[in-house]
Amino acid sequence: MSDYLPEEVVLEILHRLPVKSLIRFRCVSKSWNSLITTPAFINSHFSSNSSNSNKLIVRHCVDKPYLEHYKLIDDNNDSSSDQIQHIDFPLTSSRINHFMLIGSVNGLFSLFELERYVLWNPSIRKFITLPNPCISVKTHGRVKCRSAFGFDPRTNDYKVVRIAFRCGTKRTEEAKVPLVEVYSLNEGSWRITSAGDSFSPGISFDDWGRPSASLNGAVHFVVNDRDDNFCPLVLSFDLGDEVFREISVPNGAFGMRDYVHTSVIGGSLSLLCHDTYRHTVNNCCSIWVMKDYGIVDSWTKQFTVNLDGGLIRVLGLQKNGNILVEAELPLHWELSSYDPKSKQVKNLGICGRPYYFCVDNYMENLVLLDKPNDAVSKRGASRKRKCRDKLDSSQHFSICLLTSDEARVHLLQEAREQQQEVVQLEETVRQQQEAMLYQQEAIQQQMEKMASFKSQLEKAADFKSRLAHLIQRLGGPGWRHI
Amino acid sequence: MKFCTVKQYFDDENNNNVTNGIATTVIPLPNKHLKIKANNKEMEQYEQELLRNVMPQELTKLILAANYLNFKEALDFFCRTVANAIQNKSVDYVRKFFGLESDFEPGEEEKLCKEFAWSFEGVDED
């Protein structure tokens, strides 16, 4: 049978196929391969299938070896352990720790370590390493960065935002205003923006190390304004016009010491406010949802979750109304599902490092499929994609040093060994510091004992001399002088 | 008005695109749709019935007919059915289904398959 199917009909069929099948069917023919990998198809396939998500993806990190894993669980029911699908993250961090999660949107994750950014698409099991950012230690000195990852639906572009504050010995006015650079996946490069102009100097971030929320073409952070009585706010950075804006939060929603971060729940901007960072009484988490984006009056307190009984923090909501939490068990930390009606907590058998869990809607997405493979392109090649600012000579020098693969591997190994040594040394130092502290305490106690003994002696001597005087006065002849 | 092209079809003497057999399957669909529009489950059952009597390869003819007749609902239905039918099948099965041949250079196809080896796991036997 050799009926000719017009391309538009083939596309209709391809649009209705899941990602795994599409990846496999690239091998059917050259024309199918090119149809499946065009950016237009990648975008339209995602649009027509994005509402089909009925799974959640869980990121969890294990120690020694420092790996991270991704698991798919059912959004509607609690999956039994044999229904959970497992996806391995192919990279190990080159330092003794896990990658930091910058953010996730449309099924795509952005991860970071040292000055290396990675975009990871678990539904097609592909990652790419971004070229080096423009702002680095070599070009701008030591900087402290807040990064974010978001999607701009106006241009169908995924962007990584890097907000860099210069570190210096003096906290000058200049240091409070950050340099902002943005990476665009469509363009494949970093670019320094003038967004610092719209950043109020009094703003400081309250949610370091936590992923930002991407919604409506902007990324959102939790901040406070030093110049306004440390008033808490949500700061948004629009990925289109690259301008910072502030969104007020409801009064009393949270304070500076609370563990708060932004999230997207049911398509709305949300705040997960954990009452306190450490385990104390009245441990709870309030979930605020902004029903109408941008309308401050629409902030609604949707849930309050009681975190007593070893629940560390809230990770997200399931469609069946259960709340996903990180639970502390006697020997480990585990992802659990909390039913607010029955107040029952069910452990889902997914263990990992606390505060490194992340839960998001699982969305099948072909994005990154048309990008060159990271394994094939060497680091040298990716550095060729220069950022728009000029590379200075010192960066050039380090590039020459690393073009040889062997040298690179050797350097990585050395670095790894050195880091391990550093960790061991730090541990020894810590132990010795503890021992010193203990000794200091012991000395302190001894001195206190001596002081009290001395005072007792003094009292006794004093008593003795008074007694002697008394006897002298009382006595006449017959009493000897003592 | 679902059948913009039907009038044209009947006016057109020289018509190869839609054979009579296909026409009898496709054309009653809109009436049936209207009758059981609200009831999805009944529609699904009707669709399953319809397809039981149709060989998978015939589906491509049905799709062509629906496409020619500009009949969106039927096109969507038939494409979905084809997608479900081939979703978990091997590359060879898909080629046979659509009457396609591999036009890759030697070794090129192998490289592609190796790149995404995980997508070949759990595929139905031919």
Side-chain angles (χ1 to χ4, degrees):
Chain A
M1 185 211 67
S2 54
D3 279 1
Y4 168 65
L5 271 184
E7 190 176 279
E8 63 216 41
V9 172
V10 174
L11 280 172
E12 289 284 337
I13 298 173
L14 292 179
H15 269 104
R16 291 164 173 84
L17 285 170
V19 156
K20 183 180 173 188
S21 312
L22 285 171
I23 300 286
R24 187 168 66 248
F25 295 162
R26 286 176 66 187
C27 301
V28 167
S29 73
K30 270 189 176 165
S31 62
W32 277 46
N33 187 20
S34 74
L35 275 177
I36 291 170
T37 51
T38 55
F41 177 75
I42 290 173
N43 290 331
S44 59
H45 178 267
F46 176 71
S47 307
S48 51
N49 286 302
S50 57
S51 48
N52 293 346
S53 159
N54 58 0
K55 282 202 155 78
L56 294 171
I57 184 163
V58 179
R59 174 192 189 234
H60 63 114
C61 299
V62 296
D63 290 346
K64 301 185 181 65
Y66 291 90
L67 298 172
E68 56 192 89
H69 304 291
Y70 292 79
K71 296 220 177 5
L72 300 181
I73 62 176
D74 206 297
D75 203 356
N76 296 306
N77 312 302
D78 290 330
S79 328
S80 60
S81 48
D82 53 335
Q83 288 174 324
I84 295 180
Q85 197 185 331
H86 183 110
I87 304 175
D88 266 322
F89 181 62
L91 290 173
T92 27
S93 166
S94 65
R95 56 193 194 118
I96 315 291
N97 212 331
H98 299 102
F99 280 88
M100 193 174 87
L101 181 68
I102 305 281
S104 66
V105 65
N106 291 351
L108 195 59
F109 288 78
S110 175
L111 302 152
F112 170 76
E113 62 154 359
L114 295 175
E115 283 188 6
R116 172 191 185 196
Y117 288 89
V118 169
L119 292 184
W120 155 243
N121 182 345
S123 64
I124 63 170
R125 327 246 166 138
K126 182 164 175 178
F127 72 92
I128 61 167
T129 304
L130 303 193
N132 285 335
C134 300
I135 300 170
S136 68
V137 175
K138 295 186 190 79
T139 55
H140 291 81
R142 267 181 54 230
V143 286
K144 188 171 186 192
C145 286
R146 178 79 175 95
S147 303
F149 178 57
F151 174 69
D152 187 0
R154 291 158 290 204
T155 50
N156 261 323
D157 197 3
Y158 293 88
K159 293 188 170 177
V160 178
V161 180
R162 213 167 120 87
I163 304 168
F165 295 89
R166 273 161 287 218
C167 300
T169 46
K170 268 204 269 181
R171 281 177 68 88
T172 57
E173 279 304 312
E174 201 191 75
K176 291 182 201 162
V177 175
L179 274 177
V180 181
E181 62 172 329
V182 175
Y183 173 84
S184 148
L185 184 64
N186 288 351
E187 286 168 34
S189 60
W190 292 91
R191 177 179 42 89
I192 295 187
T193 69
S194 56
D197 298 342
S198 56
F199 189 91
S200 288
I203 298 275
S204 77
F205 288 94
D206 272 345
D207 56 358
W208 293 95
R210 283 155 242 164
S212 57
S214 169
L215 186 69
N216 297 339
V219 288
H220 302 80
F221 313 92
V222 175
V223 300
N224 70 72
D225 193 348
R226 260 193 313 267
D227 295 342
D228 185 14
N229 224 6
F230 295 96
C231 166
L233 290 166
V234 167
L235 182 73
S236 79
F237 178 76
D238 189 296
L239 298 170
D241 60 16
E242 295 178 347
V243 170
F244 284 101
R245 292 181 176 85
E246 295 167 11
I247 301 177
S248 303
V249 299
N251 276 332
F254 58 90
M256 258 181 71
R257 292 176 53 104
D258 293 339
Y259 181 83
V260 196
H261 62 102
T262 52
S263 180
V264 178
I265 293 178
S268 302
L269 181 65
S270 321
L271 287 168
L272 293 173
C273 312
H274 294 82
D275 209 327
T276 163
Y277 194 83
R278 300 189 195 290
H279 299 303
T280 59
V281 196
N282 291 333
N283 214 0
C284 73
C285 170
S286 344
I287 303 178
W288 290 81
V289 175
M290 188 176 227
K291 301 263 184 204
D292 296 316
Y293 184 75
I295 312 288
V296 179
D297 287 338
S298 71
W299 279 113
T300 316
K301 194 179 204 179
Q302 192 126 340
F303 285 104
T304 306
V305 182
N306 185 343
L307 293 175
D308 287 329
L311 303 184
I312 298 180
R313 64 181 187 120
V314 171
L315 294 167
L317 303 177
Q318 279 183 290
K319 277 197 186 131
N320 59 8
N322 285 355
I323 299 174
L324 290 166
V325 292
E326 243 176 66
E328 184 177 1
L329 294 163
L331 292 173
H332 56 262
W333 292 267
E334 195 167 322
L335 179 73
S336 308
S337 168
Y338 171 72
D339 183 346
K341 290 193 203 90
S342 69
K343 302 213 190 295
Q344 296 283 345
V345 175
K346 180 178 166 202
N347 295 323
L348 298 176
I350 298 176
C351 310
R353 191 170 171 185
Y355 297 100
Y356 276 73
F357 283 93
C358 162
V359 172
D360 201 358
N361 289 320
Y362 175 62
M363 296 205 236
E364 293 209 330
N365 197 342
L366 288 168
V367 69
L368 297 188
L369 187 63
D370 54 340
K371 302 295 173 196
N373 277 348
D374 219 56
V376 171
S377 73
K378 302 198 174 71
R379 288 282 282 213
S382 68
R383 277 181 212 245
K384 279 190 198 145
R385 281 180 286 178
K386 292 185 189 123
C387 61
R388 304 263 174 94
D389 275 303
K390 239 175 30 164
L391 285 171
D392 68 8
S393 54
S394 60
Q395 243 176 336
H396 254 292
F397 177 68
S398 53
I399 289 171
C400 298
L401 219 73
L402 293 172
T403 43
S404 153
D405 256 348
E406 257 187 57
R408 193 174 111 236
V409 166
H410 181 71
L411 278 169
L412 271 174
Q413 274 180 350
E414 258 195 64
R416 207 175 295 213
E417 281 163 42
Q418 281 179 358
Q419 276 164 347
Q420 280 181 350
E421 269 188 56
V422 165
V423 165
Q424 281 171 358
L425 276 170
E426 278 177 27
E427 181 63 34
T428 329
V429 165
R430 195 184 62 79
Q431 282 173 357
Q432 287 185 342
Q433 276 178 343
E434 263 190 51
M436 262 174 59
L437 267 170
Y438 177 71
Q439 282 176 350
Q440 274 178 358
E441 267 183 51
I443 290 172
Q444 186 83 349
Q445 280 175 2
Q446 297 271 25
M447 280 178 61
E448 274 172 41
K449 273 194 200 151
M450 267 174 57
S452 81
F453 190 56
K454 190 171 163 193
S455 73
Q456 279 179 6
L457 271 175
E458 276 173 40
K459 273 195 201 148
D462 181 48
F463 185 65
K464 192 171 168 189
S465 68
R466 278 162 67 184
L467 193 61
H469 273 129
L470 204 63
I471 291 172
Q472 213 175 18
R473 280 166 63 181
L474 282 174
W479 282 96
R480 299 166 83 88
H481 177 72
I482 297 170
Chain B
M1 182 58 209
K2 290 202 192 297
F3 284 118
C4 325
T5 28
V6 171
K7 187 169 181 303
Q8 210 183 345
Y9 163 74
F10 283 115
D11 294 340
D12 222 344
E13 297 274 314
N14 189 15
N15 199 310
N16 294 322
N17 287 328
V18 186
T19 65
N20 281 327
I22 304 299
T24 48
T25 319
V26 176
I27 287 174
L29 271 178
N31 282 330
K32 210 52 189 185
H33 254 283
L34 285 169
K35 279 187 192 155
I36 36 180
K37 202 166 62 168
N39 197 336
N40 276 324
K41 238 196 156 108
E42 250 193 77
M43 194 62 212
E44 263 177 49
Q45 281 179 337
Y46 177 76
E47 288 171 356
Q48 297 302 324
E49 247 332 293
L50 200 70
L51 287 176
R52 219 168 295 165
N53 304 325
V54 174
M55 295 297 292
Q57 280 80 351
E58 296 254 308
L59 275 173
T60 47
K61 292 191 183 151
L62 285 169
I63 292 176
L64 281 170
N67 188 40
Y68 177 72
L69 293 171
N70 215 8
F71 187 2
K72 288 273 185 291
E73 277 88 348
L75 187 66
D76 171 56
F77 165 55
F78 292 136
C79 287
R80 244 189 306 127
T81 318
V82 170
N84 287 336
I86 64 170
Q87 176 173 303
N88 211 31
K89 296 282 190 278
S90 71
V91 172
D92 277 331
Y93 184 98
V94 169
R95 283 199 192 118
K96 282 201 209 92
F97 193 96
F98 294 100
L100 298 166
E101 304 245 328
S102 166
D103 53 353
F104 285 110
E105 312 294 323
E108 214 182 336
E109 187 187 327
E110 221 184 274
K111 209 173 84 176
L112 263 178
C113 294
K114 247 173 97 178
E115 199 185 309
F116 289 101
W118 61 272
S119 66
F120 288 83
E121 292 165 18
V123 168
D124 291 345
E125 297 290 321
D126 281 348

